[in-house]
Amino acid sequence: MKVIYSDKHQAHQGGMELHRGELVPCYEMPSRAQFMLDALRQADFPILPPRNFAPEQLERVHSADYLQFLRTAYSQWQAAGKSGFMLPSAFPARGQRQDKIPTGIHAKLGYYSYDASTPMVAGTWQAVEAGAHCALTAAALVAEGEHSAYALCRPPGHHAGYATFGGYCFLNNAALAAQYLRDQGKQKVVVLDVDYHHGNGTQDIFWQRDDVLTISIHGDPATEYPFFLGYADEQGEGTGLGYCHNFPLPAGTDWPTYQQVLLQALQLIKDFSPDAMVVSLGVDTFEDDPISAFKLKSEHYPLLGAHIASLGLATVFIQEGGYAVAEVGQNVAAVLQGFEQAAQS
């Protein structure tokens, strides 16, 4: 399996986030990608740089005005006399207008985001664009006949919606990969999200579509980020009704419980009979992850990969969460090794 990686992710670093009422240094930091890269190299996965893609490719899943905001936000911040990292200070809540895009940078930040945990810095656009190109390159390899490919994307992407950012995410790499596969002739695609946190952005993008099935296994939003989406009764809308499935699980969920739910999700995928699959691979389900509360152990990640491989589908893995613990790298490598070994058996 080829690994797609760009060191441009390092341009996105620094800043603070508001995490459960406290202003703290970001958990989403460059070291997490380095842990993953080191482990993948040690496991002898080939590392390739991303290809370049036209800017219009990003408009397949994101609005043009939102993309223009991301490209120019930091220069607007500087023009307002600011420096350092950017965080929003106000949001258009219920009863307030959302039909007019504001002109001032402080209002724009709140208009396009939905939390104060996702700082932007001078190099954010460079990093997120490179991450998107990693995802698109992995999808292109699979579209061209590879059985699988993995995009080491940083920052992650599954919380980014059609025109919103949050949860450390700016561009939805998994959605970009799924849409690319559709554009290249795959009639039906599934996105399986195994990150600890609900893939609310992916759900948003494909909410009214029946050609992309979305499935997310995650911490219960009653207590876990992103809080306001990810309940089991969210099933899509219009032609997309029945093509969205959520499996919220309580804090403390261990492998036997997780595996049982995973098998239910895999059966839904079999019933859908997709032509290809995108996996939003978060390993923040690990027992020692600093911002999550599941109890999976390192020994379970090869089993996760093997279960995914049992579907026999051409698969694009997109890196999502998994935070600054040394085991994050070995757990990612274990999923991919488990997948490869099962796919070859």
Side-chain angles (χ1 to χ4, degrees), residues 131-192:
H133 288 181
C134 288
L136 290 165
T137 302
L141 289 172
V142 168
E144 292 160 6
E146 301 262 356
H147 179 64
S148 59
Y150 164 77
L152 205 178
C153 299
R154 182 193 165 265
H158 70 150
H159 294 306
Y162 174 68
T164 53
F165 71 92
Y168 312 141
C169 302
F170 300 91
L171 296 177
N172 195 307
N173 302 309
L176 286 164
Q179 185 61 52
Y180 187 91
L181 292 169
R182 284 288 295 111
D183 292 342
Q184 296 301 310
K186 303 295 185 184
Q187 294 302 305
K188 295 194 294 184
V189 177
V190 59
V191 180
L192 173 63

Side-chain angles (χ1 to χ4, degrees), residues 40-98:
L40 293 165
R41 281 180 170 154
Q42 187 172 0
D44 293 325
F45 284 94
I47 314 293
L48 281 68
R51 305 173 187 176
N52 289 320
F53 291 83
E56 293 76 19
Q57 192 68 46
L58 304 181
E59 294 182 21
R60 298 295 291 140
V61 302
H62 293 292
S63 72
D65 64 279
Y66 172 63
L67 293 169
Q68 181 64 10
F69 163 75
L70 291 179
R71 292 186 185 103
T72 62
Y74 202 79
S75 62
Q76 294 179 59
W77 180 253
Q78 290 177 312
K82 298 289 187 177
S83 61
F85 66 93
M86 306 163 57
L87 280 179
S89 57
F91 305 91
R94 288 182 295 274
Q96 296 179 326
R97 295 190 65 169
Q98 301 182 23

Side-chain angles (χ1 to χ4, degrees), residues 2-238:
K2 294 183 175 71
V3 169
I4 315 303
Y5 168 80
S6 170
D7 61 8
K8 290 182 180 179
H9 78 87
Q10 297 174 27
H12 178 69
Q13 61 177 304
M16 306 280 279
E17 65 168 294
L18 191 63
H19 178 73
R20 295 185 181 268
E22 292 185 282
L23 197 62
V24 299
C26 280
Y27 288 99
E28 203 294 295
M29 60 186 71
S31 60
R32 53 188 295 273
Q34 191 63 50
F35 284 134
M36 296 174 198
L37 185 64
D38 291 345
L40 293 165
R41 281 180 170 154
Q42 187 172 0
D44 293 325
F45 284 94
I47 314 293
L48 281 68
R51 305 173 187 176
N52 289 320
F53 291 83
E56 293 76 19
Q57 192 68 46
L58 304 181
E59 294 182 21
R60 298 295 291 140
V61 302
H62 293 292
S63 72
D65 64 279
Y66 172 63
L67 293 169
Q68 181 64 10
F69 163 75
L70 291 179
R71 292 186 185 103
T72 62
Y74 202 79
S75 62
Q76 294 179 59
W77 180 253
Q78 290 177 312
K82 298 289 187 177
S83 61
F85 66 93
M86 306 163 57
L87 280 179
S89 57
F91 305 91
R94 288 182 295 274
Q96 296 179 326
R97 295 190 65 169
Q98 301 182 23
D99 60 322
K100 288 187 176 295
I101 300 176
T103 57
I105 185 58
H106 298 289
K108 278 186 178 180
L109 274 171
Y111 179 82
Y112 286 112
S113 67
Y114 55 85
D115 67 28
S117 67
T118 312
M120 301 177 72
V121 298
T124 295
W125 174 252
Q126 179 185 3
V128 299
E129 183 182 43
H133 288 181
C134 288
L136 290 165
T137 302
L141 289 172
V142 168
E144 292 160 6
E146 301 262 356
H147 179 64
S148 59
Y150 164 77
L152 205 178
C153 299
R154 182 193 165 265
H158 70 150
H159 294 306
Y162 174 68
T164 53
F165 71 92
Y168 312 141
C169 302
F170 300 91
L171 296 177
N172 195 307
N173 302 309
L176 286 164
Q179 185 61 52
Y180 187 91
L181 292 169
R182 284 288 295 111
D183 292 342
Q184 296 301 310
K186 303 295 185 184
Q187 294 302 305
K188 295 194 294 184
V189 177
V190 59
V191 180
L192 173 63
D193 193 320
V194 295
D195 188 276
Y196 177 77
H197 304 93
H198 175 243
N200 58 301
T202 310
Q203 176 173 302
D204 169 54
I205 289 166
F206 297 117
W207 183 245
Q208 298 188 53
R209 291 174 54 172
D210 61 3
D211 58 332
V212 179
L213 177 71
T214 61
I215 300 175
S216 182
I217 306 170
H218 51 265
D220 189 339
T223 59
E224 304 304 309
Y225 189 91
F227 303 118
F228 308 112
L229 280 177
Y231 291 91
D233 62 352
E234 297 160 20
Q235 299 179 340
E237 185 176 71

Side-chain angles (χ1 to χ4, degrees), residues 302 306 309 334-345:
V335 173
L336 302 185
Q337 289 173 314
F339 177 91
E340 281 199 318
Q341 291 166 6
Q344 294 166 4
S345 63

